[in-house]
Amino acid sequence: MTPTPPARTPRTAHTADLTPAELRAVRALLDDAFDGDFSDEDWDHGLGGLHALVQDDAGRLVAHGSVVMRRVRHRDRWLRVGYVEAVAVRSDARRTGLGGRVMAELERVIDRAYDAGMLSASDEGAALYAARGWEVWSGRVCALGPEGVVHLPDEEGTTFVRPALAGPLDPAFELVFDWRDGDVL
């Protein structure tokens, strides 16, 4: 009988508390996990918030995710949203529960500190979020751009929501995200 490996508990740290070496390790993990399709804007989107990091027994980074604050208008109110970014697990450690452990830590933060949690899921990541109770947003998705509100139909069907302090959101009313460089969501 093979012994069960020890549970790896994510360590949380704000971007400001990560060393340059840790930030390089996170970026390397993300570049590898996204097969080189992780842009500088994607990197920037995952910074400035709280990171959940999992290391293996040798001290190497094997899983990561971050939650950053964004503003999203829903109905007549701007919500403080914990937006999940940069979730990745090293290829040789996938399907071992590490993504779920990272998400559990990010969800703990969202549930206690934000009006709602939101994220934009890749095809590969959607199953993880759905299994954890995140729901695909069935309403319109927009962003407040330099020229006003812009409809983002390509983001509909991939935007997931987790109710938190604000309670359930009504898909009869659009989500209007704050604008940012690169991919808005």
Side-chain angles (χ1 to χ4, degrees), residues 42-65:
D42 295 331
W43 173 242
D44 186 57
H45 296 167
L47 301 176
L50 192 68
H51 300 257
L53 307 105
V54 179
Q55 295 178 313
D56 65 13
D57 293 337
R60 295 173 304 212
L61 185 66
V62 293
H64 171 271

Side-chain angles (χ1 to χ4, degrees), residues 59-87:
R60 295 173 304 212
L61 185 66
V62 293
H64 171 271
S66 62
V67 62
V68 298
M69 193 190 89
R70 295 194 64 189
R71 289 290 186 177
V72 177
R73 189 182 76 202
H74 181 258
R75 294 185 132 174
D76 58 352
R77 180 173 171 212
W78 284 93
L79 302 174
R80 199 178 62 255
V81 169
Y83 199 83
V84 174
E85 293 282 2
V87 176

